[in-house]
Amino acid sequence: MSQHQPEPVRFYQPGAYRADESVGYLIKRVLSSMVSEIDQQLAAHDLTYVQWLPLYKLAKGEGDTLAALARELDIDPGALTRSIDRLEAKGLLQRERSTTDRRVVHLLLTDAGRAVAREVAPVLASVLNAHLQGFTHAEWQQLVDMLRRMLANGEALRQDRS
């Protein structure tokens, strides 16, 4: 007996598409609002999104080379190189060639870099909480769950193309 797959729900129709009802557009606008506020609050540390994000990820141990960090952040390695150059010029990180593989250069936070990176998480929490004002805990958890489902659906699309 063959299993019948239900027809996928079509929330959007080409002739009736409106950006103000687009999940993608709204997610981008929310992200832009959050990044703008985070940048404003981290301006005292002379950091922008393209700088505080890799700094924070390095502090969390989520990548210690340019290639690993670029993959983790889904950023073009060339663009990330410019950000890393700025962070190095500010004395927040240093590059150190691997002793086992000359091709590998590790990114290490300096003491100053670790101190600045500690300022990022409180700002992130504050800005996210402000954007979630009026949500219940259950609504927040539901939103997180739904976004994870959307990410899983996107990953499935990528896998289908592979």
Side-chain angles (χ1 to χ4, degrees):
M1 192 191 307
S2 69
Q3 293 194 357
H4 176 70
Q5 290 287 337
E7 185 67 27
V9 178
R10 304 284 183 219
F11 296 105
Y12 298 101
Q13 300 300 323
Y17 177 84
R18 291 183 37 199
D20 64 337
E21 292 179 351
S22 165
V23 172
Y25 176 76
L26 292 170
I27 288 171
K28 177 145 177 50
R29 292 282 313 268
V30 169
L31 179 60
S32 178
S33 176
M34 288 189 290
V35 167
S36 177
E37 184 60 28
I38 294 165
D39 278 358
Q40 186 173 19
Q41 291 188 30
L42 289 174
H45 300 288
D46 193 28
L47 292 176
T48 63
Y49 177 71
V50 295
Q51 294 169 6
W52 63 255
L53 186 58
L55 190 74
Y56 179 72
K57 288 293 193 173
L58 285 168
K60 300 295 283 176
E62 298 174 10
D64 74 335
T65 65
L66 189 85
L69 204 52
R71 275 191 307 277
E72 172 67 25
L73 299 173
D74 196 23
I75 296 176
D76 174 71
L80 184 57
T81 297
R82 291 185 290 280
S83 296
I84 296 301
D85 289 345
R86 287 186 204 107
L87 291 169
E88 187 175 32
K90 292 177 182 184
L92 300 177
L93 68 76
Q94 61 189 31
R95 290 175 167 103
E96 185 177 282
R97 190 161 301 280
S98 170
T99 56
T100 57
D101 186 342
R102 290 184 18 212
R103 298 168 296 178
V104 176
V105 177
H106 295 283
L107 304 173
L108 305 169
L109 293 179
T110 62
D111 289 341
R114 280 188 291 281
V116 171
R118 281 192 292 274
E119 302 296 322
V120 175
V123 171
L124 294 177
S126 172
V127 170
L128 286 167
N129 286 331
H131 279 77
L132 291 164
Q133 185 67 34
F135 284 62
T136 66
H137 187 272
E139 288 171 329
W140 165 75
Q141 189 61 64
Q142 185 178 25
L143 176 61
V144 169
D145 291 344
M146 285 190 259
L147 290 171
R148 284 184 177 144
R149 282 173 43 203
M150 286 182 73
L151 285 171
N153 289 342
E155 183 61 32
L157 288 172
R158 275 197 295 255
Q159 293 298 321
D160 288 347
R161 284 195 307 270
S162 300

